[in-house]
Amino acid sequence: MAVSDPSTLPTPAGPLVDPLAAPPGHRYVHPLAIGPVRLANNLCLAPMAGFTNVAFRLIAKEVGGCGLVATEMVAAISRSQAVHDERFRVLTRNVPAEKPVAMQVYGREPELCALTAQALAGAGADLIDLNCGCPVKKAKQSGCGVALMREPELVGRVIRAMAEAVTVPVTIKMRLGFDGENRNMVEVACAAVANGAQAVFVHARTGESKHGQAVDLSGVAAVRNAVPSHIPVIANGSLDTAQAIRRAKDEGGADGYQIGRAACGDPWLFRNLISELTGGQRYTPTLAERRRLLERHFDLICELFGESRGVRVMRKYTFFYCNGLHGVRAFRDRFHRIPDRAAFQVLVEDFFTAYQRGQVEGAAEHLTLHDRQADVEAEPGDS
């Protein structure tokens, strides 16, 4: 099924959070330039396979105000293939309201990655990133993702080919190394920058480390010390609190912060991090706002994927808008059984009306992506 033209997507339900509120001279939150691309603030949404479609990105921008959003990673294909590939069009769908937007190439062949970069630039990418961070088994077996870090010279050739193929900035997303025995983040970062990378995103774990394990900010600091000062080094990995971001800056020297999984479950995360880091107060959404945003997200998903598939895709996002409320688990579980938009409208009306009346049972829980039913379509891939 073809997705809708982006110009037909519903307009924002309310005013956008103004990301320009980031004070220019603040230590932790400030504008950031990646080549000629200027970010209003230095908090970035990470690319996540299965999650960061245009609907999710619009929500992150509208209510969070992050400085940069990113699409899901795009496997390297020829430009002619991209023109006719429906999946490519879905992955790269973007709208002016989310700009600037980064798009990520997943591959290892310089020529093919360059052709893909050209296709991404043609699709509207403001930045194009090379994936050297994905740790899944399939990526490692194919020599892509974090496995590419074992070949710094090849990383340099891929980056150079991409940078020569497009006029927008090319960046790299990497880890500290393929595994604990091969921590070559400095060598890879320097190879990338020497060949044209204009920013380095560093996940502060190696490819064998699991989410939830401690990050190693000394590796981020080593990269920051090794590359020229005008090249931003952006930290990634468990940056879900203001305290974690302060550590990334104070211990790792990070110029910016990329957040992935923590943004899945809390649409207001970026807004609250910016507020806390600049001395403001945390924002608590009203019940009406939670409902309005849930309905908007559902509308966006159905516009993109059609109603039948959209209902299934929306399952993994549902709890975001009820997290911390009584009965959130039961609400999520009921959502997994709805067949269409009409059932969605009934479920939402029943839950929020009952909640207003104090008639919802169940604990007030904060669910995570790991605490979900098996029929949720996907868990975000780390790219």
Side-chain angles (χ1 to χ4, degrees):
M1 175 183 292
V3 298
S4 301
D5 185 281
S7 63
T8 67
L9 292 177
T11 55
L16 304 183
V17 172
D18 181 7
L20 295 175
H26 195 273
R27 174 169 175 78
Y28 299 107
V29 181
H30 50 77
L32 185 68
I34 299 178
V37 177
R38 184 173 176 82
L39 312 185
N41 65 63
N42 55 342
L43 272 70
C44 310
L45 176 67
M48 290 179 285
F51 272 77
T52 49
N53 54 53
V54 63
F56 181 86
R57 300 193 309 267
L58 274 172
I59 296 295
K61 178 71 78 169
E62 287 175 12
V63 303
C66 54
L68 179 68
V69 296
T71 67
E72 302 175 55
M73 65 183 181
V74 178
I77 56 176
S78 70
R79 190 170 186 177
S80 61
Q81 285 178 290
V83 172
H84 303 288
D85 189 86
E86 180 65 18
R87 177 169 172 78
F88 178 88
R89 290 195 291 272
V90 171
L91 291 175
T92 61
R93 187 74 63 181
N94 63 94
V95 295
E98 62 175 314
K99 294 285 191 169
V101 59
M103 299 186 187
Q104 189 182 69
V105 176
Y106 170 85
R108 59 178 281 110
E109 299 176 22
E111 182 178 358
L112 207 52
C113 288
L115 291 171
T116 305
Q118 289 180 331
L120 294 178
D126 299 294
L127 301 166
I128 299 176
D129 188 58
L130 175 64
N131 183 327
C132 292
C134 182
V136 301
K137 183 177 180 181
K138 182 178 179 180
K140 291 179 177 179
Q141 290 176 336
S142 64
C144 298
V146 73
L148 198 53
M149 291 191 70
R150 293 184 295 188
E151 303 175 75
E153 186 271 338
L154 177 58
V155 170
R157 287 196 286 121
V158 174
I159 289 288
R160 178 172 293 277
M162 291 170 57
E164 291 177 347
V166 298
T167 58
V168 300
V170 169
T171 65
I172 182 172
K173 171 69 179 289
M174 50 180 271
R175 288 182 171 242
L176 302 183
F178 179 76
D179 55 29
E181 300 300 318
N182 296 275
R183 290 168 52 95
N184 62 340
M185 60 277 176
V186 169
E187 184 180 5
V188 172
C190 289
V193 171
N195 285 281
Q198 297 191 52
V200 182
F201 294 81
V202 185
H203 186 131
R205 299 182 178 97
T206 64
E208 65 183 357
S209 300
K210 304 298 184 182
H211 286 277
Q213 293 182 343
V215 296
D216 180 1
L217 294 171
S218 68
V220 178
V223 172
R224 174 64 283 170
N225 291 333
V227 302
S229 60
H230 70 278
I231 301 294
V233 173
I234 299 166
N236 173 237
S238 299
L239 298 177
D240 53 351
T241 65
Q243 180 181 6
I245 285 179
R246 292 188 186 101
R247 284 191 60 220
K249 177 64 175 180
D250 297 341
E251 299 177 27
D255 301 298
Y257 324 98
Q258 189 181 60
I259 301 171
R261 293 186 179 209
C264 294
D266 185 358
W268 297 272
L269 177 66
F270 290 103
R271 176 176 183 166
N272 278 323
L273 287 173
I274 293 170
S275 180
E276 289 184 60
L277 289 164
T278 55
Q281 299 295 315
R282 285 188 60 84
Y283 178 75
T284 302
T286 65
L287 195 65
E289 184 179 359
R290 289 173 180 264
R291 176 174 179 170
R292 185 167 60 247
L293 202 59
L294 170 60
E295 291 172 335
R296 170 157 169 74
H297 198 160
F298 183 80
D299 287 342
L300 288 169
I301 288 290
C302 288
E303 286 286 336
L304 285 170
F305 298 108
E307 182 175 327
S308 179
R309 185 182 174 199
V311 168
R312 298 194 304 274
V313 171
M314 189 65 193
R315 290 171 181 167
K316 56 194 170 190
Y317 300 107
T318 307
F319 72 88
F320 293 13
Y321 303 100
C322 300
N323 243 349
L325 299 181
H326 290 281
V328 58
R329 186 180 297 273
F331 176 79
R332 183 200 61 184
D333 293 348
R334 282 185 62 192
F335 195 97
H336 292 166
R337 297 189 293 273
I338 66 170
D340 51 32
R341 182 185 295 272
F344 168 80
Q345 293 170 338
V346 170
L347 172 58
V348 170
E349 176 66 23
D350 287 350
F351 177 81
F352 284 95
T353 298
Y355 204 95
Q356 285 181 312
R357 296 172 177 171
Q359 297 172 344
V360 171
E361 298 180 354
E365 299 179 80
H366 191 91
L367 304 180
T368 70
L369 289 170
H370 298 287
D371 180 21
R372 70 200 195 287
Q373 297 295 325
D375 59 348
V376 175
E377 283 201 344
E379 181 174 334
D382 186 332
S383 42

